[in-house]
Amino acid sequence: MADRREDDFLDDIEQAELDEMSEELSEPLPEEYELDELRAERDALKDKFMRALADAENARKRGDKMRRDAEQYGGSKLARDMLPVYDNMKRALEAATEDQRASAAALIEGIELTMRELLNVFKKHGMTIIAPQVGDKFDPNIHEAMFEAPVPGTNAGDIIQVSTEGFMLHDRLLRPSQVGVSSTPKS
């Protein structure tokens, strides 16, 4: 038969194992909970900070782009409104006959000087003329087809008449050139 001491010894070993397991399974100390909560809060605040920093940087970049666009394209409405003035001055100069040029030389010279000054102002503010020539290929990005007509000796898509010149404001189309386009089918 087993000795009582051996039973007590075995009971003590079992109790020690149970105590060790219960320590492993026992709840963490309140300080550990607090430390875990603080770490989670720190990580959440760091994430919020990084997002706010990224939002601020994006807002700064958007603001810079809007400022640059306003500088370059802010006057586009005024520029568009000045185009009929250019068109009318150009028509007036083209309509003047040689007799009128001789009899009203000072007036014609004044209109030409005003036209040159207008073109200098356009250039100063980034406006360039789109002046297609008869025979150029039609480009829908910068030309507006006013009509199509079959014209012998041309290919389909060739410009056959220029009604008005177009204008670019920096890299944006301000007004397309108005043109007539050939619809002659390929032979």
Side-chain angles (χ1 to χ4, degrees):
M1 234 163 128
D3 185 53
R4 184 102 173 124
R5 281 187 177 164
E6 283 181 15
D7 286 343
D8 287 343
F9 178 75
L10 291 174
D11 287 342
D12 288 343
I13 290 176
E14 280 181 11
Q15 186 60 40
E17 287 176 350
L18 285 174
D19 289 343
E20 193 173 285
M21 284 178 54
S22 70
E23 282 180 16
E24 290 175 4
L25 296 176
S26 71
E27 295 181 18
L29 298 173
E31 296 86 24
E32 289 177 17
Y33 270 139
E34 188 177 338
L35 190 58
D36 287 343
E37 287 175 6
L38 289 173
R39 283 184 182 134
E41 185 180 352
R42 178 204 60 198
D43 291 344
L45 290 173
K46 185 177 179 183
D47 182 57
K48 284 182 180 179
F49 172 74
M50 295 304 286
R51 289 177 188 272
L53 197 60
D55 284 346
E57 182 64 19
N58 289 340
R60 185 191 64 76
K61 287 179 183 177
R62 249 189 331 272
D64 285 348
K65 183 183 182 319
M66 288 172 66
R67 181 188 50 78
R68 282 191 310 274
D69 285 352
E71 286 174 359
Q72 284 191 332
Y73 307 112
S76 64
K77 186 171 173 34
L78 175 64
R80 198 171 287 115
D81 290 344
M82 291 298 296
L83 296 181
V85 174
Y86 167 82
D87 293 336
N88 290 333
M89 289 179 68
K90 184 172 181 186
R91 280 190 214 105
L93 288 172
E94 289 172 350
T97 63
E98 288 303 317
D99 292 339
Q100 291 170 334
R101 286 182 181 274
S103 64
L107 177 63
I108 300 295
E109 183 181 351
I111 294 173
E112 287 173 343
L113 289 173
T114 305
M115 179 67 127
R116 265 189 251 132
E117 186 60 30
L118 182 62
L119 290 173
N120 287 336
V121 170
F122 283 177
K123 186 175 182 178
K124 177 182 173 185
H125 291 281
M127 289 177 62
T128 54
I129 297 175
I130 303 170
Q133 302 297 317
V134 172
D136 289 352
K137 276 290 187 201
F138 175 76
D139 181 356
N141 296 318
I142 58 173
H143 302 137
E144 179 181 6
M146 301 307 290
F147 65 90
E148 275 189 329
V151 175
T154 62
N155 295 322
D158 285 351
I159 294 174
I160 55 175
Q161 181 182 350
V162 178
S163 301
T164 59
E165 296 172 327
F167 285 86
M168 296 286 287
L169 180 60
H170 299 288
D171 60 344
R172 288 187 185 169
L173 184 65
L174 192 58
R175 179 179 81 183
S177 298
Q178 295 177 338
V179 297
V181 182
S182 174
S183 64
T184 304
K186 291 185 178 181
S187 306

